[in-house]
Amino acid sequence: MNEETIKALLEEVKSGACSPEQALGQLRELPFEDLGFARLDHHRGLRTGQSEVIFCQGKQPEQIISILKHLGAKSQNVLATRLVPDHAERILQHFPNAQYDPLARCLLFHPLEEPSIPGKILIMTAGTADLPVAREAWITARYMGHEAETIYDVGVAGLHRLLAQRDSMDSAEVLIVVAGMEGALASVVGGLVDQPVIAVPTSVGYGAHFQGLAALLSMLNSCASGVGVVNIDNGFGAASLASTIIRRINKNR
Amino acid sequence: MNEETIKALLEEVKSGACSPEQALGQLRELPFEDLGFARLDHHRGLRTGQSEVIFCQGKQPEQIISILKHLGAKSQNVLATRLVPDHAERILQHFPNAQYDPLARCLLFHPLEEPSIPGKILIMTAGTADLPVAREAWITARYMGHEAETIYDVGVAGLHRLLAQRDSMDSAEVLIVVAGMEGALASVVGGLVDQPVIAVPTSVGYGAHFQGLAALLSMLNSCASGVGVVNIDNGFGAASLASTIIRRINKNR
Amino acid sequence: MNEETIKALLEEVKSGACSPEQALGQLRELPFEDLGFARLDHHRGLRTGQSEVIFCQGKQPEQIISILKHLGAKSQNVLATRLVPDHAERILQHFPNAQYDPLARCLLFHPLEEPSIPGKILIMTAGTADLPVAREAWITARYMGHEAETIYDVGVAGLHRLLAQRDSMDSAEVLIVVAGMEGALASVVGGLVDQPVIAVPTSVGYGAHFQGLAALLSMLNSCASGVGVVNIDNGFGAASLASTIIRRINKNR
Amino acid sequence: MNEETIKALLEEVKSGACSPEQALGQLRELPFEDLGFARLDHHRGLRTGQSEVIFCQGKQPEQIISILKHLGAKSQNVLATRLVPDHAERILQHFPNAQYDPLARCLLFHPLEEPSIPGKILIMTAGTADLPVAREAWITARYMGHEAETIYDVGVAGLHRLLAQRDSMDSAEVLIVVAGMEGALASVVGGLVDQPVIAVPTSVGYGAHFQGLAALLSMLNSCASGVGVVNIDNGFGAASLASTIIRRINKNR
Amino acid sequence: MNEETIKALLEEVKSGACSPEQALGQLRELPFEDLGFARLDHHRGLRTGQSEVIFCQGKQPEQIISILKHLGAKSQNVLATRLVPDHAERILQHFPNAQYDPLARCLLFHPLEEPSIPGKILIMTAGTADLPVAREAWITARYMGHEAETIYDVGVAGLHRLLAQRDSMDSAEVLIVVAGMEGALASVVGGLVDQPVIAVPTSVGYGAHFQGLAALLSMLNSCASGVGVVNIDNGFGAASLASTIIRRINKNR
Amino acid sequence: MNEETIKALLEEVKSGACSPEQALGQLRELPFEDLGFARLDHHRGLRTGQSEVIFCQGKQPEQIISILKHLGAKSQNVLATRLVPDHAERILQHFPNAQYDPLARCLLFHPLEEPSIPGKILIMTAGTADLPVAREAWITARYMGHEAETIYDVGVAGLHRLLAQRDSMDSAEVLIVVAGMEGALASVVGGLVDQPVIAVPTSVGYGAHFQGLAALLSMLNSCASGVGVVNIDNGFGAASLASTIIRRINKNR
Amino acid sequence: MNEETIKALLEEVKSGACSPEQALGQLRELPFEDLGFARLDHHRGLRTGQSEVIFCQGKQPEQIISILKHLGAKSQNVLATRLVPDHAERILQHFPNAQYDPLARCLLFHPLEEPSIPGKILIMTAGTADLPVAREAWITARYMGHEAETIYDVGVAGLHRLLAQRDSMDSAEVLIVVAGMEGALASVVGGLVDQPVIAVPTSVGYGAHFQGLAALLSMLNSCASGVGVVNIDNGFGAASLASTIIRRINKNR
Amino acid sequence: MNEETIKALLEEVKSGACSPEQALGQLRELPFEDLGFARLDHHRGLRTGQSEVIFCQGKQPEQIISILKHLGAKSQNVLATRLVPDHAERILQHFPNAQYDPLARCLLFHPLEEPSIPGKILIMTAGTADLPVAREAWITARYMGHEAETIYDVGVAGLHRLLAQRDSMDSAEVLIVVAGMEGALASVVGGLVDQPVIAVPTSVGYGAHFQGLAALLSMLNSCASGVGVVNIDNGFGAASLASTIIRRINKNR
């Protein structure tokens, strides 16, 4: 429903093929579908350049199933994120071919295809406990068509482990840094590379970590520039942002 | 001081042109200069792809002058940010040709040149009071060689003002959204475009705004994807991140 | 026990129909009933214009049953809110005709009657996960005699979904906006309408949402005017406030 | 620019009086004026039912003067809020007939007219130090055409002072409760009346008051229903919300 | 081990009945017993005027049993607070005559005796959900020998319920006010009486209550004077403080 | 205006000496005086047992002067607290005989009289920087007629300084402990004495002290029982609470 | 991989025993082993002087087992901390000779050996509920080869219990103070000794303790000097720091 | 006043050279001097091994002068910290030979002597703005007799600057890391060395730095072990802790 279609509509009004009342109605109608409790936005992919994703936290299994059914009829694949194992089990009974990744808490309708969009996203974690968030980012990136590489457990307390990854870092278009504790990895990586760095604080920690606040504040105050931050544990959001950057790169190729 | 130069050095050792002791010394010596209280990093531009910038907050005028003098001898232009008017006045006495922008609290040694790097950065603000932060972002972007456009006062309480900017938004490579109060502009813009959005919460607000916390949390929790957040009032950081993205685009052109 | 009754009492004292001691006693006695652990306030409806509602959180099932029994003897219907399923089950054993809504966590003694008070309350949610809070607001509004409409999943990341609801918004007397995440819907709706907007932040979110704090701060800092905020997840409170407004409208009709 | 005008425009297209290109242009153009740093929204009054108000905090005096000049040419009166004395002085040099209220930190172009809209707004404060906020609310209410009454210093530590105001409370359509310290006045008033209560926490307090947080949390957790909360010290917002309610009452009269 | 006993000891040294070495040893030895993981302080009652109480939170059942056994051998009665039902069950197997109060989560070795110390402690709660904390305070007060009365559910949203308790309030030596939500009861009671008021914020609430923070801040900022605050949910602490006050009164009788 | 006077009034109604209308009027009228911006409560002393005190923070000098003039006409002495030096200077021009204490920021109309109420209040501070708060407590205590002693700089880092004050501590009826930093003095004193301890956290500290939060939380979590806490820097409140306790002791003598 | 080895490598390059390409490769390769999800750092002991420790929180049992297997092949003993009982059970099935301490939630492969490093670490707790943290510190200290003594339940509310431990305190090289509640023990001990004091706040407490925040802030604001603080409940970190100090002492012996 | 002196006293009692009353008096008297508002502790040096230091924040200039005069009479040198320039000026009028360091805000009576205690303290800062805190630490260390070296501006965004300091780091006994922003330097240094690391968060930063909170939390959550944290901006405390460690090393030499 862009300017072209509006202009076409107005031409129809001019020619009498469409009455003003009809045109008014069409201007008001928009391409989403109403399930009562949720509004599916079939054109979001066109509008923001991203495929359909369902954020499952806080939704009842029945609601998720209903949304999936409607989306499944019209789209090729769907990614469901933040899906707890109990709910996944009930949903898999309706979609036995879907695949659930318990570490990332993600569900996919179809297997991931080979990356179709050039430009690597490198996902690095400070520790092993940050894996679930990194995995959510990896699945999201691959689901959106991107090449994605993961490097785990390269926290700053052992700088040599990180510095050994120089080649992988240099060959990426965007880097996603996933870190809990004091989140220092974002600053150190940000100081080493000249690509965009997306920092994901995680809730990995205890005590004065305050469920991720320490890592979040640390990353927001990074002394390195070129670092953007997403919400705590938001692997999906980091990959989405990385995707917008890489699609932009390819649009300009 | 990259792999190439190290390899060249090692070849010299092999050929005897350089003794192991000398090579060791060179491997240890790095291209920074020591002022006692600050270490100038002349090669940072090469390493992270950014020009030299001085963050003046917390530094004494004498220290800033000393740093500027050393940098001035070796670089084309320098950007000083977070420079309060009192300190700017004292610094201008030493560098009468420099230009101080009191709104952005930035100082430049030389006038801004015409943008040399293709790809527009669009900087939008929710309100008029967000201008200082947007201006810091604009100067930074232009200083780094980018094309930058600003649109002020398009907050979500008057959606029609924002929607009228559709063309400007569509023609940008990266959008920077600067907003205080509830920071909702980041989510609304994030839902309208498919380019990367960099959100800058500002400290504009009062009461339960808690010096920018409200806008910061709002942006981190954006229901739109593709949004990266930088520190409160960090116009410089937003432009730096935008710059890394656009330089990446051009590297792949 | 208003001025009229006090004046009548004083007239009785004057005429000798009531001794000063008796009058003093009546002035001190007030129309509530003591259950030991709770004081039922049978006249609250008269005093603040609202029907009887029990807030069940923190109360033992036995206490709730006892309160319900006493209220049941004297009132037409009772609304119990914040009633967890386990407690609801035990209570339904004593009141088999009552109806429990697990989504809203509300229990009613009698079915909801047709709205008797003119003036529509429109309840909008940003996402599907905000439904429980919206449902609590809807039941409360209907229980208090109001016409109530719900529109779900019209968050600001897809503005067209929201703008398509223009007619519903225009036909309401009061709008209740229920939103988690960054809570931006309150500002956007507030900028679109000229009716009172009641904003309900929800605890829907994660990480830097801090159990609803992000949405709460966002709504308190709304750049749109005409917005009042209630506690996080307080669907009941929003409907109560809407009810006071609409009853005021009808009082003046 | 409502449905009527759009339909009229479409009729013109049908009749040929307006070309599709012209219609497209008109649909895109919206009634705001661009000052570069601010966008004046001349039709906001029509859209949200409120008169023009400038929030001056964070704006430079020159910006305020420029905005005022543009507004002054097209509107009857303007209210400037959060204007510090220093800035007010500079602005009064350009608008010598304007009136500045240092307590409320408000400036008006023309004297307040007699209330034109029936329905009293009662503004109560817990203490004397809450006056500036109450005064901002009073000026805003009067500026918007409403009858407004103020009662100061009726905090809950002296209940008899509050209870003596029963008549004033009963005769109001909406009550605004302004309180710092522990903000308990909102709950007590909310329990006494059946009209809508708008609670304004103030930053009056010290220590564990945390600049208004204590009063804010207190009001959000009010045990009385029918209470909506606005931001700390937001007298303007409270009056705006009261205004939407009373205009709603009169629309239905 | 007060000055008297030290002086007596020194007299013994003077007379030769005790050698300097022995005296040194006695001066160093203090009347507590070491269980390895806990140090029982048998003379605390003498020193601070309070009976033995075990705070069970965070202690293993075996540790509690061991402490109880040692205390049981030397003292008349013991009060165990913050004892969860699971642990209580295991402890009752060793002490079948002890009595557990699940509401207050307290355990007593012997039944409560009739109050032996003159001076009533009045314990008031704002709501029914505040009962567990009030009950802990009541048991503590009675265990320490005091007369204690409880009045439940007299929150400020229904002032008449509170004002009807005037006589009970007037006849108390100390008042303990237990309230969650906005905690306003402490201020209102503090303004009505001239006795010491001990305010106990409770974690009863939700959302912006932040587990008792709202009530705590409210009480600390009480506009009424003569109010002291204890920790959230600390019924024991309130009763202990009340006890020190009343014992002080009786000491001076 | 107690039960006695109400009963007398009712007797007059009975006898015809007073008409019901007149009685109604008298019941509604209460003994406070209205200054427009403040309500003086001349009978507060009778009701809560405390003398008149003005909390000056947030009040304009003119308002304070006006309040003082009205009070001065009817009372013996007045205490003004939280009065900044600038305001004090302007007030002293109207009341040249008043005395201002710049350390405590208090002003008195008449010199302090000799203590008239038996029972010593001991005020202890952890450090020298806590003096202003302790001094406010001391003046308040003395103004209310109490004997008050101060011991400064006995923080827990030098236990021997504290333990040397054993006699002073033993001879007090109530102890007020004023401490910033980590506020540990309250716990240590609470463990040493059997009298009521009132803890006053101060804002003395820096960094992670967060303007008194550290000391406040420390005191609320005191491992010693018998400790009540007042707001940060609230020396007045501590003395008021101490006063209610001592007056209670004397009432029972 | 220190300067010596680099110089040796360069000598080999000079002599032709190693080609520049090979040298470059060796300079890049570092002594860690990659498990895919974790990087084992076999030389950490050499680099930072500490033995291998696995922090298990957030790691899956399978990950822990895999890490343990790799480490077990190359090291003498391993310490696993923050291991919950459920996970410990599964791990013990693979390593039946390992020993799990449920109080400290630690697992060891081999029994603790007799201390081999001179210099006692004294670990003191304020209460019995602090034992788990103290136990983690004790096991860590012993695992690292140190002599360690524990003294439990010497909180400041009973100073005599603490002062009786003078000898133990004097004979330690480093003191670790473990305390929840108000954490005052750190300040008192810090004022009594001239050795380094490491303060460990614990999450023992409730209400305004905010999961250890109160004790943490208290310790950071200690009025005694010579106190360093570690994270809440971080017994391991305290012992690690103590170990670095004592190893430093022995290095200089 | 240690065991030896007590025993000697007791011997005197035995021999009759001292009466029990006199002994009691001596046991009670302790070696501090009372100035009314401050208690000088002349023996603190003996007890905790540290020289006399005055923390001036919150103290009036007159109080500081008085304290200095008393100390000056009995001690060799005194260090005054946190002394603002205004107060320093007034104090220098009384002590013209004292030296004030405006960067560190410290004052010394006598020039610093050459270090007398072996063992270097290395003080590193992340940025130039951290200098004042580092300088306070340096002066404190030198005042206490230690060798101290400073390295400024080696933040982690330029790792090569830090790694070039390897030799200085290896030759220190204790390292003090002073950092604002995200405070990551503490973790990186902690991972590189095997000496004790004392981390000092600074308030250098803005926005989500929250006056040092970000750096503080970051350091408390350091993924490197062997790190102890002191309060924000507490350069004095860091040096004091370093001093206790080094004195311990020398005691064992």
Side-chain angles (χ1 to χ4, degrees), chain F residues 47-113:
Chain F
R47 202 171 67 256
T48 67
Q50 301 194 344
S51 310
E52 199 63 51
V53 180
I54 305 175
F55 176 75
C56 297
Q57 193 173 310
K59 293 198 179 72
Q60 301 298 317
E62 292 70 27
Q63 295 174 336
I64 300 169
I65 290 164
S66 172
I67 294 173
L68 285 171
K69 282 189 176 160
H70 279 78
L71 286 174
K74 297 186 182 173
S75 89
Q76 294 298 87
N77 199 355
V78 178
L79 169 64
T81 65
R82 302 260 162 172
L83 184 64
V84 291
D86 278 5
H87 288 190
E89 211 171 302
R90 291 176 62 182
I91 287 165
L92 284 169
Q93 293 170 353
H94 288 77
F95 304 97
N97 292 329
Q99 295 163 311
Y100 180 63
D101 184 314
L103 184 63
R105 295 190 301 159
C106 287
L107 181 138
L108 282 171
F109 263 38
H110 299 285
L112 287 169
E113 295 174 8

Side-chain angles (χ1 to χ4, degrees), chain B residues 156-170:
Chain B
V156 301
L159 271 187
H160 58 298
R161 298 182 301 184
L162 172 62
L163 297 176
Q165 305 297 335
R166 194 75 236 196
D167 288 354
S168 284
M169 292 161 73
D170 287 348

Side-chain angles (χ1 to χ4, degrees), chain G residues 127-199:
Chain G
T128 301
D130 300 316
L131 252 78
V133 176
R135 181 87 187 157
E136 188 189 75
W138 183 85
I139 288 179
T140 301
R142 288 292 310 278
Y143 170 69
M144 291 177 171
H146 300 284
E147 185 186 350
E149 180 189 347
T150 50
I151 301 178
Y152 297 137
D153 205 17
V154 287
V156 301
L159 270 187
H160 56 300
R161 297 183 301 186
L162 173 62
L163 298 176
Q165 306 298 333
R166 195 75 234 196
D167 288 353
S168 285
M169 292 161 73
D170 288 347
S171 62
E173 288 295 332
V174 180
L175 292 94
I176 294 175
V177 174
V178 181
M181 310 296 271
E182 89 286 64
L185 186 59
S187 293
V188 172
V189 169
L192 290 172
V193 304
D194 64 347
Q195 296 101 314
V197 173
I198 303 170

Side-chain angles (χ1 to χ4, degrees), chain H residues 141-212:
Chain H
R142 288 292 309 279
Y143 170 68
M144 290 177 172
H146 299 284
E147 184 186 351
E149 180 189 347
T150 49
I151 301 178
Y152 296 136
D153 206 15
V154 287
V156 300
L159 272 188
H160 57 300
R161 298 182 301 187
L162 173 63
L163 297 176
Q165 305 298 334
R166 194 74 235 197
D167 287 354
S168 283
M169 291 161 74
D170 287 347
S171 63
E173 288 296 330
V174 180
L175 292 93
I176 293 176
V177 174
V178 181
M181 309 294 271
E182 88 286 63
L185 186 59
S187 292
V188 172
V189 168
L192 290 171
V193 304
D194 63 348
Q195 298 100 313
V197 173
I198 302 171
V200 192
T202 72
S203 53
V204 170
Y206 61 92
H209 200 255
F210 297 121
Q211 284 81 53

Side-chain angles (χ1 to χ4, degrees), chain C residues 111-239:
Chain C
L112 287 168
E113 295 173 8
E114 281 305 294
S116 59
I117 308 174
K120 186 179 73 176
I121 298 171
L122 177 62
I123 302 162
M124 311 174 83
T125 77
T128 301
D130 300 316
L131 252 79
V133 176
R135 180 89 185 154
E136 186 189 76
W138 184 84
I139 289 179
T140 302
R142 288 292 310 280
Y143 170 69
M144 289 178 171
H146 299 286
E147 186 186 351
E149 182 191 346
T150 50
I151 300 178
Y152 296 136
D153 205 16
V154 288
V156 301
L159 271 187
H160 56 299
R161 297 182 302 186
L162 173 63
L163 298 175
Q165 306 298 334
R166 194 76 235 196
D167 288 355
S168 284
M169 291 161 74
D170 287 348
S171 63
E173 288 296 330
V174 180
L175 292 94
I176 293 175
V177 174
V178 181
M181 310 293 272
E182 89 287 61
L185 187 58
S187 293
V188 173
V189 169
L192 290 172
V193 305
D194 64 347
Q195 298 101 311
V197 173
I198 303 170
V200 191
T202 72
S203 53
V204 171
Y206 61 93
H209 200 255
F210 298 120
Q211 285 80 51
L213 180 65
L216 171 65
L217 295 185
S218 181
M219 288 170 168
L220 286 168
N221 285 283
S222 173
C223 57
S225 58
V227 178
V229 183
V230 297
N231 196 0
I232 297 163
D233 292 335
N234 191 1
F236 166 75

